[in-house]
Amino acid sequence: THDYMRDLARYTGYHLEDLTRESSGTLDADTYKSIFKGVKVHNKDSSYIYVVDYNGTILYHPDESKIGQAVENLVTKDLVEAINASSSISVSDIIDYEYKGVLKYAAYYNSIETENIIIVTSDKSDILAPTIELEIKAIITSAISCLVWLCLGGVILYLLVSPVKLLNFELNKLSELDLKDTDSLDKVAKKGDELGGIGISILNLRKSLREVLTVLKDESDSLNSEALSLYDSTNTAIETIQQVGIAINDIATSTNSQ
């Protein structure tokens, strides 16, 4: 915007110089009006253009009551004095100042040929409004982006941690000899990564433990059967011994009585 203001002052100044050369003399108020009326920074309501000569007299101003009056703006007065005092002053530049409590930007073009200073001015807040709006949008966009990335990070973290927690849960079940199948472990085992490999290992371990427990159960059942058979045989032997004892006792008693 600064460059645009500076260019606007410069190009209208060039137009003023062209018309001055064509007229071979001083331009009247109507000519100034035809050149500068409506000239302003685009879409900036506070912007306007005015022209002063090297004496500080206003030659054009949107407020026609100021035309022919001495300029009131101290910054413009200082600029006029500086131009009159030195030829080293920049032909075109931009300055910032405060006028009646309002911060402003002003771009000027020093037309040495016509001894006029063309000044384009606008409120600083008006100039910076798009930049501030852009910064606010950038902040909002950044905040939304951060929120999206945080949510995405949370989802990714959940996807990474959830299988690990499941595997830990399954290992705890194995430590308690809980060998029931779960669909969730089957899903993890189907993954083609390290976690999937661990899942397969747990499934294989579960299968091996089942086989071992099955063998142990069969052996236990066999031992129980043998133990019962031994118990029955022992009882039978004891009864036989008891019967033999009774028979011997009866024989002994009969022999004594004879």
Side-chain angles (χ1 to χ4, degrees):
T1 303
H2 289 174
D3 290 339
Y4 172 71
M5 292 176 67
R6 192 161 36 230
D7 291 341
L8 185 61
R10 186 186 300 119
Y11 293 140
T12 52
Y14 293 163
H15 186 39
L16 174 65
E17 291 169 350
D18 290 339
L19 291 179
T20 301
R21 283 193 296 269
E22 291 174 4
S23 65
S24 300
T26 304
L27 302 179
D28 57 24
D30 290 336
T31 304
Y32 276 97
K33 187 175 181 179
S34 67
I35 299 173
F36 299 107
K37 184 178 181 180
V39 176
K40 57 185 290 187
V41 177
H42 183 61
N43 289 334
K44 306 300 178 188
D45 295 335
S46 63
S47 177
Y48 60 91
I49 192 169
Y50 65 100
V51 183
V52 299
D53 60 17
Y54 282 6
N55 295 320
T57 302
I58 298 175
L59 302 179
Y60 172 79
H61 196 287
D63 183 357
E64 295 185 3
S65 64
K66 294 185 177 182
I67 297 176
Q69 304 295 319
V71 66
E72 300 175 352
N73 189 329
L74 293 178
V75 174
T76 304
K77 286 182 178 180
D78 292 341
L79 178 61
V80 171
E81 291 177 1
I83 289 174
N84 286 322
S86 173
S87 59
S88 62
I89 298 298
S90 176
V91 173
S92 180
D93 204 353
I94 190 162
I95 53 179
D96 59 296
Y97 63 98
E98 182 176 336
Y99 180 66
K100 294 184 178 179
V102 178
L103 296 177
K104 289 179 171 289
Y105 283 127
Y108 71 86
Y109 171 68
N110 176 22
S111 175
I112 299 174
E113 182 178 342
T114 63
E115 296 187 348
N116 288 172
I117 305 170
I118 296 88
I119 301 169
V120 178
T121 184
S122 181
D123 290 355
K124 190 173 183 179
S125 60
D126 214 5
I127 295 295
L128 296 180
T131 303
I132 295 173
E133 183 179 357
L134 185 62
E135 289 177 351
I136 293 174
K137 288 181 179 179
I139 292 172
I140 294 174
T141 301
S142 298
I144 293 174
S145 297
C146 288
L147 182 60
V148 170
W149 280 109
L150 284 174
C151 292
L152 183 60
V155 171
I156 294 174
L157 184 62
Y158 172 78
L159 293 176
L160 291 174
V161 172
S162 180
V164 175
K165 292 176 67 176
L166 175 64
L167 293 174
N168 183 62
F169 174 73
E170 292 294 336
L171 287 172
N172 287 332
K173 285 176 59 181
L174 284 180
S175 69
E176 298 171 358
L177 293 181
D178 184 352
L179 305 179
K180 290 183 290 186
D181 290 327
T182 55
D183 294 336
S184 54
L185 181 58
D186 293 336
K187 291 179 180 179
V188 173
K190 291 178 181 178
K191 292 178 175 289
D193 54 12
E194 289 79 2
L195 294 178
I198 296 174
I200 293 174
S201 298
I202 293 175
L203 288 174
N204 292 334
L205 178 59
R206 177 189 289 171
K207 181 180 178 181
S208 298
L209 286 174
R210 281 177 177 169
E211 293 174 352
V212 170
L213 289 176
T214 300
V215 172
L216 289 175
K217 184 178 181 299
D218 292 341
E219 293 295 328
S220 176
D221 291 342
S222 178
L223 287 174
N224 285 335
S225 178
E226 293 293 333
L228 288 173
S229 177
L230 179 61
Y231 177 77
D232 291 340
S233 298
T234 301
N235 286 336
T236 301
I238 291 172
E239 289 177 358
T240 301
I241 292 171
Q242 287 177 345
Q243 290 176 359
V244 170
I246 292 171
I248 292 172
N249 186 53
D250 289 343
I251 292 172
T253 302
S254 175
T255 301
N256 290 332
S257 62
Q258 290 178 1

